[in-house]
Amino acid sequence: METAAVLREEAFGFSKDIFAKNLALLDTKHFAPTLQELALDQLLESPPGSMTLGNERHLVLRVSDANGQYQLNSRYNPDAEAKAILSESSIDDDTNVIVIFGFGNAGILRSLIAGEDIQKVKIVVIEPSLDLFAWTMGHEDFSDVLSH
């Protein structure tokens, strides 16, 4: 499956056009009121993460904190990783709501949305880092996920 990522030549740079497109979808379909008030220029001066290119030409998101640096998705096969994580969950016909902690690169969401009978299930994403979420919104076109 071709990734929805827009791989930009300038070191995976932030695109204000992609950010605006994703924000417009968030505004119409989802609850994210604080993104409008975000100081975008300040965010771009001190990015909360970095992007690298994975083995299958997909974007790999890295973040760091006081304890070290972390990849938020596999650099080898993020689709297989997401499917493996979901296979360990107990999603069945009686599931009404799924809560995901952290948006990341939306790999888990994409796998979840691709599943059967997902239309009746509400998906709630709790993102602990507004800066990281907003910064990611400018690196990849998430229309496929945000239009769900």
Side-chain angles (χ1 to χ4, degrees):
M1 176 180 131
E2 184 68 23
T3 179
V6 175
L7 301 176
R8 298 174 48 82
E9 293 298 324
E10 58 272 46
F12 316 112
F14 186 95
S15 165
K16 289 185 179 182
D17 291 338
I18 293 172
F19 180 80
K21 181 179 181 181
N22 285 328
L23 192 61
L25 275 171
L26 278 170
D27 284 346
T28 58
K29 301 222 23 135
H30 305 284
F31 181 70
T34 53
L35 283 180
Q36 293 286 1
E37 301 161 13
L38 193 67
L40 195 54
D41 291 335
Q42 183 179 359
L43 178 67
L44 295 176
E45 287 176 19
S46 302
S50 64
M51 294 281 184
T52 58
L53 190 60
N55 290 5
E56 294 184 5
R57 300 204 42 81
H58 59 275
L59 293 177
V60 178
L61 178 58
R62 292 177 180 262
V63 296
S64 52
D65 66 11
N67 297 316
Q69 199 173 66
Y70 307 94
Q71 285 182 187
L72 297 185
N73 59 297
S74 170
R75 65 184 186 146
Y76 299 106
N77 192 339
D79 294 335
E81 176 187 50
K83 287 175 186 169
I85 291 169
L86 288 175
S87 72
E88 295 175 10
S89 65
S90 58
I91 300 170
D92 59 26
D93 291 339
D94 295 327
T95 302
N96 295 318
V97 177
I98 298 171
V99 178
I100 298 174
F101 188 73
F103 186 84
N105 277 5
I108 299 288
L109 284 170
R110 285 190 173 112
S111 288
L112 195 55
I113 291 168
E116 298 174 16
D117 269 348
I118 201 66
Q119 298 302 324
K120 67 177 184 117
V121 177
K122 299 264 187 217
I123 302 170
V124 177
V125 178
I126 299 171
E127 176 54 59
S129 173
L130 178 62
D131 288 348
L132 183 62
F133 180 69
W135 185 75
T136 303
M137 289 291 113
H139 282 85
E140 186 168 340
D141 180 353
F142 291 107
S143 298
D144 60 328
V145 175
L146 299 176
S147 62
H148 178 74

